[in-house]
Amino acid sequence: MAPIGTVYGPTANARNYKVRIAAQLAGVEVASTPDFQFGVDNQTPEYLAKNPSGKVPAFVGADGYTLYDSSAIAMYLASKGANSAALLGQTEEERGQVLQYVFFAESDLMPAVAGTLYPVLGFRPMIKPAHQAAEEQLVRLLGVLNNVLLDKTYLVGERLTIADVIVAADLLMVFEYYLTAEDRKQFRNLTRYFKTIAGQTAFKAVAGQAKLCTERAQAAAPAKKEKKEKKEQQPKPAKKAEKKAEKEVDEEEEEEAPAPKPKSKLDL
């Protein structure tokens, strides 16, 4: 089967995973770019001519059709399969719920994941107030999903949809770097759900075996400033020594100064 297009961007990240998982589930072939260098290849004139935004991943079809944003590409590829109705929702209500969770993942979940883990992993500077706010938001959203999945296997209906692929892909980093075994006990429904989706054949074929956190990732301690050398720390004693020397010189000059002549009666 000839590829229907190429997905441009680094292949080892959640955004690229969800696109290629969607292609696997839809039964369509897409080419990828494993040697793609973010910040380099997406800034070339050739790339910008096809995708002026410079974003990755981006899809370029065999017919020249272009699309960017991982969730948009995933939904487009899902629509190309014979099972598109199952992946995108079999009724109008299900299609609405699929979109609901796709937007939830993009606008709420992923920003909270990035704000919590990117500073810890060194992808962006650590700003404590912003990091704390993102972490609180992430825990709240994980609780929302945990409650939704109390009596459900999938987010929409009784079968796997593209909403599950997108949400589970965005949770990969959370389960690998954040939720420890003790944490997972507090999110039992969400953990069961994640294992179910990540255990799908198509998911493992693209993303590999999902990793579960044993110890929460911590931000590296800031490097301590090197102590100044003693020579740099002794300017004041040097000045005191100089003043002392000047005082001694002045005293010597005062001692060497000739005594005034005694007054004579003839001076009158």
Side-chain angles (χ1 to χ4, degrees), residues 126-231:
M126 170 64 79
I127 302 174
K128 288 187 177 180
H131 178 260
Q132 183 178 354
E135 188 171 17
E136 291 173 356
Q137 175 74 340
L138 175 61
V139 172
R140 188 185 72 81
L141 295 175
L142 296 179
V144 169
L145 287 173
N146 192 63
N147 292 335
V148 167
L149 294 163
L150 177 62
D151 55 357
K152 300 174 70 172
T153 302
Y154 303 103
L155 289 172
V156 180
E158 301 299 327
R159 299 183 61 180
L160 180 78
T161 66
I162 200 66
D164 298 306
V165 173
I166 290 171
V167 170
D170 286 349
L171 288 171
L172 279 168
M173 292 180 67
V174 176
F175 278 90
E176 182 175 356
Y177 296 109
Y178 189 78
L179 291 180
T180 64
E182 193 63 29
D183 297 325
R184 294 194 292 273
K185 291 179 182 178
Q186 300 177 35
F187 300 101
R188 294 181 185 275
N189 304 326
L190 181 61
T191 300
R192 166 184 48 79
Y193 166 80
F194 175 75
K195 289 180 177 180
T196 299
I197 308 304
Q200 299 287 322
T201 302
F203 205 104
K204 291 196 293 185
V206 174
Q209 184 66 44
K211 298 176 182 178
L212 297 179
C213 177
T214 56
E215 184 177 353
R216 182 175 295 178
Q218 300 292 333
K224 294 182 179 179
K225 295 181 180 180
E226 295 182 1
K227 293 182 179 180
K228 294 181 180 180
E229 295 182 2
K230 291 183 179 180
K231 290 182 180 179

